Amino acid sequence: MKFRNTFNTLFFLLVLFGFGIVNLAFFQSGSVSSLEQRNLVRRPAFSLDRFISGEFPREFDDYFSDHFAFRTLMAKAGAYLMEFKGLPDKNEATILQQGGDNTSQNLKPGNGTGAAANTGQAVQYLIFKDRAYTLFKYSEPSAERYADALNRFKSAVDPEIRVYSLLAPTSADFIEEEKYRELSYSQKAAFDHINESLNPEIKPIDAYGMLARHIDEELYFRTDHHWTALGAYYAYVKLMDALGEEPVPLNSYLKGEIKEFLGSAYKATLSFRLRAHPDTIIYYEPAEKYTYTRYSTAGKEIEGGAVDPEYAKASGGLYSVFLGGDFPWGEIQTEHKNGRKILVVKDSYANALIPFLIPHFENIYYIDPRFFSGSLTGFVKEHDISEVLFLNNSTVARSQGIAELINKRM
Protein backbone atom coordinates (compact mmCIF):
# COMPACT_ATOMS: atom_id res chain seq x y z
CA MET A 1 0.00 0.00 0.00
CA LYS A 2 2.84 2.39 0.91
CA PHE A 3 4.62 1.61 -2.37
CA ARG A 4 1.39 2.23 -4.32
CA ASN A 5 0.87 5.61 -2.65
CA THR A 6 4.46 6.59 -3.39
CA PHE A 7 4.10 5.46 -6.99
CA ASN A 8 0.84 7.42 -7.43
CA THR A 9 2.43 10.54 -5.96
CA LEU A 10 5.50 10.28 -8.19
CA PHE A 11 3.35 9.59 -11.23
CA PHE A 12 1.16 12.59 -10.47
CA LEU A 13 4.21 14.86 -10.06
CA LEU A 14 5.73 13.48 -13.25
CA VAL A 15 2.58 14.22 -15.22
CA LEU A 16 2.19 17.64 -13.63
CA PHE A 17 5.76 18.79 -14.22
CA GLY A 18 5.99 17.04 -17.57
CA PHE A 19 2.88 18.81 -18.74
CA GLY A 20 4.28 22.11 -17.50
CA ILE A 21 7.54 21.58 -19.38
CA VAL A 22 5.69 20.68 -22.59
CA ASN A 23 3.47 23.74 -22.23
CA LEU A 24 6.48 26.02 -21.74
CA ALA A 25 8.22 24.48 -24.75
CA PHE A 26 5.22 24.86 -27.07
CA PHE A 27 3.54 27.91 -25.52
CA GLN A 28 1.81 29.88 -28.30
CA SER A 29 3.23 33.40 -28.47
CA GLY A 30 1.22 34.80 -31.38
CA SER A 31 -1.25 37.67 -31.10
CA VAL A 32 -3.86 36.45 -33.62
CA SER A 33 -5.72 33.16 -34.02
CA SER A 34 -5.98 32.46 -37.75
CA LEU A 35 -8.36 29.59 -37.00
CA GLU A 36 -10.84 31.75 -35.05
CA GLN A 37 -9.99 35.02 -36.84
CA ARG A 38 -9.66 37.05 -33.66
CA ASN A 39 -7.05 38.71 -31.47
CA LEU A 40 -5.67 36.58 -28.65
CA VAL A 41 -5.57 37.94 -25.11
CA ARG A 42 -2.39 39.88 -24.38
CA ARG A 43 -0.15 39.20 -21.39
CA PRO A 44 -1.51 41.33 -18.52
CA ALA A 45 0.69 43.82 -16.69
CA PHE A 46 1.63 42.73 -13.16
CA SER A 47 1.30 44.90 -10.09
CA LEU A 48 1.00 43.97 -6.44
CA ASP A 49 -2.34 45.78 -6.07
CA ARG A 50 -3.81 43.99 -9.09
CA PHE A 51 -2.51 40.67 -7.79
CA ILE A 52 -4.05 41.18 -4.34
CA SER A 53 -7.39 42.30 -5.81
CA GLY A 54 -7.49 39.19 -8.00
CA GLU A 55 -7.60 41.17 -11.24
CA PHE A 56 -4.17 39.99 -12.43
CA PRO A 57 -4.82 36.26 -11.77
CA ARG A 58 -8.13 36.46 -13.66
CA GLU A 59 -6.55 38.21 -16.65
CA PHE A 60 -3.57 35.85 -16.62
CA ASP A 61 -5.93 32.87 -16.63
CA ASP A 62 -7.56 34.26 -19.80
CA TYR A 63 -4.11 34.87 -21.30
CA PHE A 64 -2.94 31.35 -20.46
CA SER A 65 -6.11 29.83 -21.94
CA ASP A 66 -5.55 31.67 -25.21
CA HIS A 67 -1.88 30.65 -25.49
CA PHE A 68 -2.07 27.08 -24.23
CA ALA A 69 0.29 24.61 -25.91
CA PHE A 70 -1.31 22.92 -28.94
CA ARG A 71 -4.41 25.08 -28.41
CA THR A 72 -5.16 25.35 -32.12
CA LEU A 73 -4.83 21.60 -32.62
CA MET A 74 -7.09 20.86 -29.67
CA ALA A 75 -9.62 23.48 -30.83
CA LYS A 76 -9.81 21.76 -34.21
CA ALA A 77 -10.24 18.38 -32.54
CA GLY A 78 -12.92 19.76 -30.24
CA ALA A 79 -14.77 21.32 -33.17
CA TYR A 80 -14.65 17.99 -35.01
CA LEU A 81 -16.14 16.18 -32.01
CA MET A 82 -18.83 18.85 -31.67
CA GLU A 83 -20.03 17.95 -35.16
CA PHE A 84 -21.33 14.67 -33.69
CA LYS A 85 -23.68 16.47 -31.28
CA GLY A 86 -27.20 17.63 -32.08
CA LEU A 87 -29.98 16.32 -34.26
CA PRO A 88 -30.33 12.60 -35.09
CA ASP A 89 -29.57 13.11 -38.80
CA LYS A 90 -26.07 14.46 -38.31
CA ASN A 91 -25.34 14.50 -42.02
CA GLU A 92 -28.09 17.04 -42.54
CA ALA A 93 -28.12 19.39 -39.54
CA THR A 94 -26.42 19.94 -36.20
CA ILE A 95 -27.30 22.17 -33.26
CA LEU A 96 -24.43 23.68 -31.29
CA GLN A 97 -24.83 25.81 -28.19
CA GLN A 98 -22.20 28.47 -27.65
CA GLY A 99 -21.71 31.86 -26.01
CA GLY A 100 -23.16 35.19 -27.03
CA ASP A 101 -23.13 36.71 -30.50
CA ASN A 102 -21.65 40.00 -31.64
CA THR A 103 -24.78 41.83 -30.63
CA SER A 104 -24.41 40.95 -26.97
CA GLN A 105 -20.91 42.38 -26.58
CA ASN A 106 -20.48 44.41 -23.42
CA LEU A 107 -23.75 43.12 -21.92
CA LYS A 108 -22.40 41.86 -18.65
CA PRO A 109 -22.48 42.77 -14.97
CA GLY A 110 -20.29 45.73 -14.17
CA ASN A 111 -21.39 48.01 -16.99
CA GLY A 112 -24.75 48.90 -15.53
CA THR A 113 -26.95 46.23 -17.07
CA GLY A 114 -27.25 44.06 -13.97
CA ALA A 115 -28.77 40.60 -14.01
CA ALA A 116 -30.86 41.37 -17.07
CA ALA A 117 -27.73 41.36 -19.17
CA ASN A 118 -27.30 37.66 -18.64
CA THR A 119 -30.83 36.77 -19.71
CA GLY A 120 -31.00 34.87 -22.97
CA GLN A 121 -27.41 35.46 -24.05
CA ALA A 122 -26.60 31.80 -24.73
CA VAL A 123 -26.80 31.17 -28.46
CA GLN A 124 -27.81 28.02 -30.32
CA TYR A 125 -26.45 27.66 -33.83
CA LEU A 126 -28.09 25.37 -36.34
CA ILE A 127 -25.56 24.17 -38.92
CA PHE A 128 -27.61 23.13 -41.95
CA LYS A 129 -25.80 22.18 -45.14
CA ASP A 130 -23.13 24.88 -45.63
CA ARG A 131 -24.84 27.59 -43.54
CA ALA A 132 -25.23 28.57 -39.88
CA TYR A 133 -28.42 29.98 -38.40
CA THR A 134 -28.78 31.66 -35.00
CA LEU A 135 -31.86 30.08 -33.44
CA PHE A 136 -34.23 32.56 -31.82
CA LYS A 137 -35.80 32.14 -28.39
CA TYR A 138 -38.50 34.71 -27.65
CA SER A 139 -38.81 36.54 -24.33
CA GLU A 140 -41.99 38.59 -24.03
CA PRO A 141 -40.68 40.61 -21.04
CA SER A 142 -37.57 41.50 -23.07
CA ALA A 143 -39.65 42.59 -26.05
CA GLU A 144 -41.88 44.74 -23.88
CA ARG A 145 -38.88 46.17 -22.07
CA TYR A 146 -37.38 47.26 -25.40
CA ALA A 147 -40.63 48.89 -26.53
CA ASP A 148 -40.87 50.64 -23.16
CA ALA A 149 -37.30 51.98 -23.53
CA LEU A 150 -38.15 53.49 -26.93
CA ASN A 151 -41.37 54.95 -25.55
CA ARG A 152 -39.46 56.54 -22.67
CA PHE A 153 -37.00 58.02 -25.12
CA LYS A 154 -39.79 59.46 -27.29
CA SER A 155 -41.37 61.08 -24.24
CA ALA A 156 -38.04 62.53 -23.13
CA VAL A 157 -37.11 64.35 -26.36
CA ASP A 158 -38.67 67.27 -28.23
CA PRO A 159 -42.04 66.21 -29.71
CA GLU A 160 -40.92 67.56 -33.10
CA ILE A 161 -38.19 64.92 -33.34
CA ARG A 162 -39.32 62.03 -35.52
CA VAL A 163 -38.52 58.59 -34.10
CA TYR A 164 -38.38 55.34 -36.09
CA SER A 165 -37.86 51.71 -35.10
CA LEU A 166 -36.33 49.18 -37.48
CA LEU A 167 -36.09 45.60 -36.22
CA ALA A 168 -33.74 43.42 -38.25
CA PRO A 169 -34.52 39.70 -38.39
CA THR A 170 -31.77 37.11 -38.44
CA SER A 171 -31.74 34.38 -41.07
CA ALA A 172 -33.41 31.77 -38.81
CA ASP A 173 -36.89 32.86 -39.94
CA PHE A 174 -35.96 32.11 -43.54
CA ILE A 175 -34.54 28.57 -43.31
CA GLU A 176 -35.70 26.66 -46.38
CA GLU A 177 -36.72 23.54 -44.40
CA GLU A 178 -39.85 24.14 -42.31
CA LYS A 179 -38.88 21.56 -39.67
CA TYR A 180 -35.78 23.62 -38.90
CA ARG A 181 -37.62 26.95 -39.01
CA GLU A 182 -39.86 25.56 -36.29
CA LEU A 183 -36.86 25.22 -33.97
CA SER A 184 -37.07 29.00 -33.51
CA TYR A 185 -39.87 31.21 -32.29
CA SER A 186 -41.24 33.46 -35.05
CA GLN A 187 -39.28 36.71 -35.16
CA LYS A 188 -42.11 38.29 -37.14
CA ALA A 189 -44.53 37.58 -34.29
CA ALA A 190 -42.02 39.02 -31.82
CA PHE A 191 -41.59 42.16 -33.94
CA ASP A 192 -45.35 42.55 -34.26
CA HIS A 193 -45.68 42.50 -30.48
CA ILE A 194 -42.96 45.13 -30.06
CA ASN A 195 -44.49 47.36 -32.73
CA GLU A 196 -47.94 47.07 -31.15
CA SER A 197 -46.43 48.18 -27.83
CA LEU A 198 -44.75 51.29 -29.26
CA ASN A 199 -45.98 54.83 -28.81
CA PRO A 200 -48.14 55.58 -31.89
CA GLU A 201 -45.80 58.48 -32.66
CA ILE A 202 -42.89 56.04 -33.17
CA LYS A 203 -43.03 54.75 -36.74
CA PRO A 204 -42.05 51.08 -37.21
CA ILE A 205 -40.15 50.19 -40.39
CA ASP A 206 -41.16 46.80 -41.81
CA ALA A 207 -37.74 45.58 -42.92
CA TYR A 208 -38.91 42.00 -42.27
CA GLY A 209 -41.54 42.16 -45.02
CA MET A 210 -39.07 43.66 -47.49
CA LEU A 211 -36.47 40.97 -46.79
CA ALA A 212 -39.06 38.20 -47.06
CA ARG A 213 -39.85 39.35 -50.61
CA HIS A 214 -36.18 39.02 -51.61
CA ILE A 215 -35.20 35.95 -49.62
CA ASP A 216 -33.96 34.08 -52.70
CA GLU A 217 -31.10 36.59 -52.88
CA GLU A 218 -27.96 36.60 -50.72
CA LEU A 219 -29.33 38.62 -47.80
CA TYR A 220 -27.39 36.82 -45.05
CA PHE A 221 -23.93 35.37 -44.65
CA ARG A 222 -23.44 31.63 -44.30
CA THR A 223 -20.80 31.82 -41.56
CA ASP A 224 -21.88 35.00 -39.74
CA HIS A 225 -25.00 36.20 -37.92
CA HIS A 226 -25.21 39.53 -39.78
CA TRP A 227 -27.11 40.40 -42.91
CA THR A 228 -25.12 41.24 -46.02
CA ALA A 229 -24.86 44.72 -47.53
CA LEU A 230 -27.61 43.64 -49.94
CA GLY A 231 -29.88 42.73 -47.03
CA ALA A 232 -29.09 46.09 -45.41
CA TYR A 233 -29.85 47.83 -48.71
CA TYR A 234 -33.36 46.39 -48.88
CA ALA A 235 -33.98 47.55 -45.30
CA TYR A 236 -32.70 50.99 -46.34
CA VAL A 237 -35.17 51.02 -49.27
CA LYS A 238 -38.03 50.38 -46.84
CA LEU A 239 -36.74 53.11 -44.53
CA MET A 240 -36.61 55.61 -47.39
CA ASP A 241 -40.19 54.71 -48.27
CA ALA A 242 -41.26 55.62 -44.74
CA LEU A 243 -39.28 58.87 -44.90
CA GLY A 244 -40.76 59.83 -48.24
CA GLU A 245 -37.35 59.69 -49.93
CA GLU A 246 -36.27 58.10 -53.18
CA PRO A 247 -33.64 55.39 -52.56
CA VAL A 248 -30.42 55.57 -54.55
CA PRO A 249 -30.15 52.66 -57.02
CA LEU A 250 -27.66 50.03 -55.97
CA ASN A 251 -25.84 50.23 -59.29
CA SER A 252 -24.87 53.83 -58.45
CA TYR A 253 -22.35 52.54 -55.92
CA LEU A 254 -18.81 51.29 -56.47
CA LYS A 255 -19.03 47.56 -55.82
CA GLY A 256 -16.21 45.52 -54.30
CA GLU A 257 -15.70 42.16 -52.64
CA ILE A 258 -13.68 40.53 -49.90
CA LYS A 259 -13.24 36.78 -50.13
CA GLU A 260 -12.57 34.08 -47.53
CA PHE A 261 -14.79 35.62 -44.81
CA LEU A 262 -15.37 33.36 -41.81
CA GLY A 263 -17.71 35.17 -39.46
CA SER A 264 -19.08 35.04 -35.93
CA ALA A 265 -20.90 31.71 -36.32
CA TYR A 266 -17.71 30.03 -37.49
CA LYS A 267 -15.68 31.60 -34.68
CA ALA A 268 -18.18 30.31 -32.13
CA THR A 269 -18.54 26.78 -33.54
CA LEU A 270 -15.33 26.20 -35.54
CA SER A 271 -17.53 24.05 -37.77
CA PHE A 272 -15.64 22.27 -40.53
CA ARG A 273 -18.67 22.61 -42.79
CA LEU A 274 -18.59 26.38 -42.43
CA ARG A 275 -14.83 26.57 -42.88
CA ALA A 276 -15.16 24.65 -46.14
CA HIS A 277 -17.62 27.28 -47.46
CA PRO A 278 -16.36 30.77 -46.50
CA ASP A 279 -18.38 33.83 -47.44
CA THR A 280 -17.56 36.62 -49.85
CA ILE A 281 -18.42 40.09 -48.51
CA ILE A 282 -19.93 42.30 -51.21
CA TYR A 283 -19.67 45.98 -50.28
CA TYR A 284 -20.85 49.22 -51.90
CA GLU A 285 -18.77 52.37 -51.52
CA PRO A 286 -20.66 55.69 -51.51
CA ALA A 287 -19.82 57.89 -54.51
CA GLU A 288 -20.64 61.17 -52.76
CA LYS A 289 -18.19 63.32 -50.83
CA TYR A 290 -18.34 63.11 -47.05
CA THR A 291 -16.17 62.91 -43.94
CA TYR A 292 -16.47 60.13 -41.39
CA THR A 293 -15.13 60.31 -37.84
CA ARG A 294 -15.54 57.57 -35.26
CA TYR A 295 -14.65 57.82 -31.59
CA SER A 296 -13.00 55.09 -29.54
CA THR A 297 -13.89 54.25 -25.95
CA ALA A 298 -10.92 56.41 -24.93
CA GLY A 299 -12.37 59.34 -26.91
CA LYS A 300 -9.78 59.15 -29.68
CA GLU A 301 -10.91 60.54 -33.05
CA ILE A 302 -10.37 58.18 -35.99
CA GLU A 303 -11.08 59.41 -39.50
CA GLY A 304 -11.68 57.22 -42.53
CA GLY A 305 -14.28 55.95 -44.97
CA ALA A 306 -17.74 54.73 -44.07
CA VAL A 307 -17.01 51.70 -46.25
CA ASP A 308 -13.37 50.75 -46.64
CA PRO A 309 -11.86 47.32 -47.39
CA GLU A 310 -8.72 48.42 -45.54
CA TYR A 311 -10.68 47.94 -42.29
CA ALA A 312 -11.22 44.27 -43.08
CA LYS A 313 -8.48 42.57 -41.09
CA ALA A 314 -8.63 38.98 -39.90
CA SER A 315 -7.79 40.05 -36.33
CA GLY A 316 -10.69 42.50 -36.10
CA GLY A 317 -13.17 40.69 -38.34
CA LEU A 318 -13.74 41.29 -42.04
CA TYR A 319 -17.23 42.71 -41.33
CA SER A 320 -15.33 45.78 -40.12
CA VAL A 321 -15.32 46.90 -43.76
CA PHE A 322 -18.51 48.71 -42.66
CA LEU A 323 -17.79 51.75 -40.44
CA GLY A 324 -14.53 50.18 -39.25
CA GLY A 325 -16.38 48.02 -36.73
CA ASP A 326 -18.27 48.88 -33.55
CA PHE A 327 -17.46 52.16 -31.79
CA PRO A 328 -19.24 54.16 -29.07
CA TRP A 329 -20.30 56.81 -31.57
CA GLY A 330 -19.48 58.31 -34.92
CA GLU A 331 -20.40 61.14 -37.26
CA ILE A 332 -20.71 61.43 -41.04
CA GLN A 333 -20.81 64.94 -42.49
CA THR A 334 -22.10 65.27 -46.05
CA GLU A 335 -22.38 68.12 -48.56
CA HIS A 336 -26.19 68.12 -48.39
CA LYS A 337 -27.24 71.35 -46.67
CA ASN A 338 -30.82 70.27 -46.04
CA GLY A 339 -30.77 70.66 -42.25
CA ARG A 340 -31.65 67.01 -41.70
CA LYS A 341 -29.66 65.32 -38.96
CA ILE A 342 -30.31 61.72 -38.07
CA LEU A 343 -29.10 59.71 -35.08
CA VAL A 344 -29.01 55.90 -35.39
CA VAL A 345 -29.08 54.09 -32.04
CA LYS A 346 -27.81 50.74 -33.12
CA ASP A 347 -26.15 47.39 -32.89
CA SER A 348 -23.74 46.01 -35.48
CA TYR A 349 -26.52 45.26 -37.98
CA ALA A 350 -26.70 49.00 -38.68
CA ASN A 351 -23.05 49.14 -39.76
CA ALA A 352 -23.87 47.91 -43.26
CA LEU A 353 -26.93 50.18 -43.59
CA ILE A 354 -25.67 53.55 -42.32
CA PRO A 355 -23.48 54.30 -45.40
CA PHE A 356 -26.63 54.18 -47.58
CA LEU A 357 -27.98 57.19 -45.63
CA ILE A 358 -25.26 59.54 -46.92
CA PRO A 359 -27.25 60.91 -49.91
CA HIS A 360 -30.19 61.92 -47.71
CA PHE A 361 -28.88 63.77 -44.66
CA GLU A 362 -26.62 66.67 -43.81
CA ASN A 363 -25.27 64.87 -40.76
CA ILE A 364 -25.51 61.20 -39.79
CA TYR A 365 -24.65 60.23 -36.22
CA TYR A 366 -24.68 56.83 -34.63
CA ILE A 367 -24.51 55.65 -31.04
CA ASP A 368 -23.86 52.08 -29.95
CA PRO A 369 -25.28 51.84 -26.40
CA ARG A 370 -23.06 48.81 -25.69
CA PHE A 371 -20.04 51.12 -25.65
CA PHE A 372 -21.41 54.67 -25.36
CA SER A 373 -21.33 56.13 -21.85
CA GLY A 374 -23.01 59.50 -22.38
CA SER A 375 -26.64 60.64 -22.45
CA LEU A 376 -28.79 59.81 -25.47
CA THR A 377 -31.21 62.65 -24.87
CA GLY A 378 -28.33 65.02 -24.16
CA PHE A 379 -26.68 63.99 -27.43
CA VAL A 380 -29.90 64.63 -29.37
CA LYS A 381 -30.20 68.11 -27.93
CA GLU A 382 -26.50 69.00 -28.30
CA HIS A 383 -26.36 68.00 -31.98
CA ASP A 384 -29.78 69.38 -32.92
CA ILE A 385 -30.99 65.98 -34.16
CA SER A 386 -34.15 66.02 -36.29
CA GLU A 387 -34.71 62.26 -36.65
CA VAL A 388 -33.79 59.22 -34.58
CA LEU A 389 -33.70 55.64 -35.85
CA PHE A 390 -33.45 52.71 -33.44
CA LEU A 391 -31.98 49.82 -35.43
CA ASN A 392 -31.37 46.54 -33.65
CA ASN A 393 -31.73 42.89 -34.53
CA SER A 394 -34.00 40.35 -32.86
CA THR A 395 -31.70 40.03 -29.85
CA VAL A 396 -33.82 42.78 -28.25
CA ALA A 397 -36.75 40.33 -28.16
CA ARG A 398 -34.81 37.60 -26.37
CA SER A 399 -32.60 39.62 -24.01
CA GLN A 400 -33.21 42.75 -21.94
CA GLY A 401 -29.59 43.89 -22.23
CA ILE A 402 -30.01 46.49 -25.00
CA ALA A 403 -33.19 47.89 -23.43
CA GLU A 404 -31.44 48.24 -20.07
CA LEU A 405 -28.54 50.06 -21.72
CA ILE A 406 -30.87 52.45 -23.54
CA ASN A 407 -32.66 53.17 -20.27
CA LYS A 408 -29.37 53.72 -18.49
CA ARG A 409 -28.09 56.08 -21.22
CA MET A 410 -31.34 58.03 -21.37
Side-chain angles (χ1 to χ4, degrees):
M1 181 65 70
K2 184 177 180 180
F3 173 77
R4 178 179 296 178
N5 290 339
T6 302
F7 176 80
N8 289 339
T9 301
L10 291 174
F11 181 75
F12 172 77
L13 292 174
L14 179 63
V15 171
L16 180 65
F17 285 103
F19 186 78
I21 292 171
V22 169
N23 194 60
L24 288 173
F26 295 96
F27 193 72
Q28 297 186 17
S29 58
S31 60
V32 177
S33 169
S34 58
L35 176 68
E36 299 164 274
Q37 292 194 350
R38 69 174 179 86
N39 289 323
L40 297 175
V41 175
R42 295 182 178 181
R43 181 192 294 270
F46 176 83
S47 72
L48 185 59
D49 290 341
R50 296 179 70 248
F51 181 82
I52 293 174
S53 69
E55 184 177 359
F56 175 81
R58 285 193 298 271
E59 292 181 359
F60 190 85
D61 183 59
D62 292 337
Y63 168 72
F64 187 82
S65 297
D66 260 9
H67 296 268
F68 204 80
F70 307 114
R71 180 182 180 279
T72 299
L73 180 62
M74 287 189 285
K76 288 180 178 179
Y80 179 77
L81 291 174
M82 288 290 285
E83 293 285 347
F84 289 96
K85 295 178 62 178
L87 300 175
D89 187 355
K90 300 179 181 66
N91 292 323
E92 190 172 20
T94 303
I95 292 180
L96 304 175
Q97 181 156 324
Q98 301 294 337
D101 58 29
N102 176 267
T103 304
S104 62
Q105 284 184 27
N106 211 35
L107 304 184
K108 56 187 178 182
N111 70 349
T113 61
N118 293 322
T119 303
Q121 290 305 322
V123 176
Q124 282 189 321
Y125 293 98
L126 171 71
I127 311 297
F128 177 45
K129 296 183 178 178
D130 62 351
R131 189 177 294 266
Y133 300 89
T134 306
L135 299 181
F136 174 68
K137 180 180 291 186
Y138 178 55
S139 165
E140 185 172 312
S142 297
E144 294 177 351
R145 186 67 169 164
Y146 181 73
D148 179 67
L150 270 58
N151 292 340
R152 288 188 63 235
F153 175 86
K154 176 60 180 172
S155 299
V157 297
D158 190 310
E160 297 299 316
I161 295 174
R162 295 179 291 280
V163 180
Y164 305 89
S165 171
L166 193 159
L167 294 164
T170 65
S171 58
D173 260 33
F174 307 112
I175 303 175
E176 58 185 274
E177 292 280 347
E178 183 179 359
K179 63 180 178 180
Y180 297 135
R181 282 201 306 275
E182 293 178 349
L183 295 175
S184 287
Y185 189 95
S186 167
Q187 293 175 69
K188 184 181 184 305
F191 292 174
D192 287 345
H193 184 64
I194 291 176
N195 292 336
E196 291 166 359
S197 303
L198 290 176
N199 182 322
E201 295 183 354
I202 299 176
K203 185 172 182 59
I205 309 300
D206 183 22
Y208 188 104
M210 176 64 82
L211 293 170
R213 290 195 290 275
H214 294 272
I215 200 57
D216 291 335
E217 303 174 48
E218 288 298 322
L219 305 186
Y220 294 93
F221 294 111
R222 289 190 300 272
T223 70
D224 191 84
H225 71 282
H226 293 103
W227 56 17
T228 63
L230 181 60
Y233 176 79
Y234 284 127
Y236 148 79
V237 170
K238 193 63 180 180
L239 174 63
M240 290 301 104
D241 180 58
L243 270 59
E245 291 276 321
E246 192 69 27
V248 175
L250 200 56
N251 59 17
S252 299
Y253 292 85
L254 178 63
K255 182 179 177 181
E257 63 179 38
I258 301 170
K259 296 183 177 180
E260 300 300 315
F261 172 48
L262 293 170
S264 59
Y266 170 73
K267 294 176 187 178
T269 65
L270 298 181
S271 167
F272 281 88
R273 276 183 282 178
L274 298 184
R275 187 172 181 82
H277 299 90
D279 285 293
T280 294
I281 298 178
I282 304 296
Y283 61 88
Y284 302 91
E285 294 189 58
E288 302 196 8
K289 292 183 179 179
Y290 66 91
T291 61
Y292 168 48
T293 306
R294 58 198 189 276
Y295 296 83
S296 70
T297 52
K300 180 182 177 181
E301 295 185 14
I302 308 170
E303 296 185 353
V307 178
D308 190 339
E310 290 298 314
Y311 298 149
K313 308 296 183 184
S315 59
L318 303 189
Y319 189 75
S320 294
V321 63
F322 307 112
L323 300 185
D326 293 324
F327 288 84
W329 72 283
E331 175 184 10
I332 299 174
Q333 295 183 345
T334 76
E335 295 186 335
H336 301 287
K337 303 304 178 183
N338 56 14
R340 299 184 70 179
K341 301 180 180 182
I342 188 170
L343 168 64
V344 182
V345 182
K346 60 95 177 175
D347 63 23
S348 55
Y349 263 65
N351 296 11
L353 183 145
I354 287 174
F356 292 121
L357 302 180
I358 290 175
H360 306 280
F361 295 91
E362 182 173 330
N363 293 88
I364 303 158
Y365 300 91
Y366 69 77
I367 284 177
D368 191 325
R370 297 170 297 171
F371 311 105
F372 184 73
S373 59
S375 165
L376 289 174
T377 53
F379 190 98
V380 167
K381 186 175 182 179
E382 178 185 351
H383 293 87
D384 196 24
I385 301 296
S386 58
E387 291 153 270
V388 177
L389 170 66
F390 286 87
L391 197 168
N392 290 282
N393 77 55
S394 57
T395 296
V396 299
R398 69 176 177 85
S399 167
Q400 296 186 30
I402 292 292
E404 291 300 321
L405 286 173
I406 291 172
N407 282 320
K408 180 177 175 60
R409 312 297 185 227
M410 198 76 71

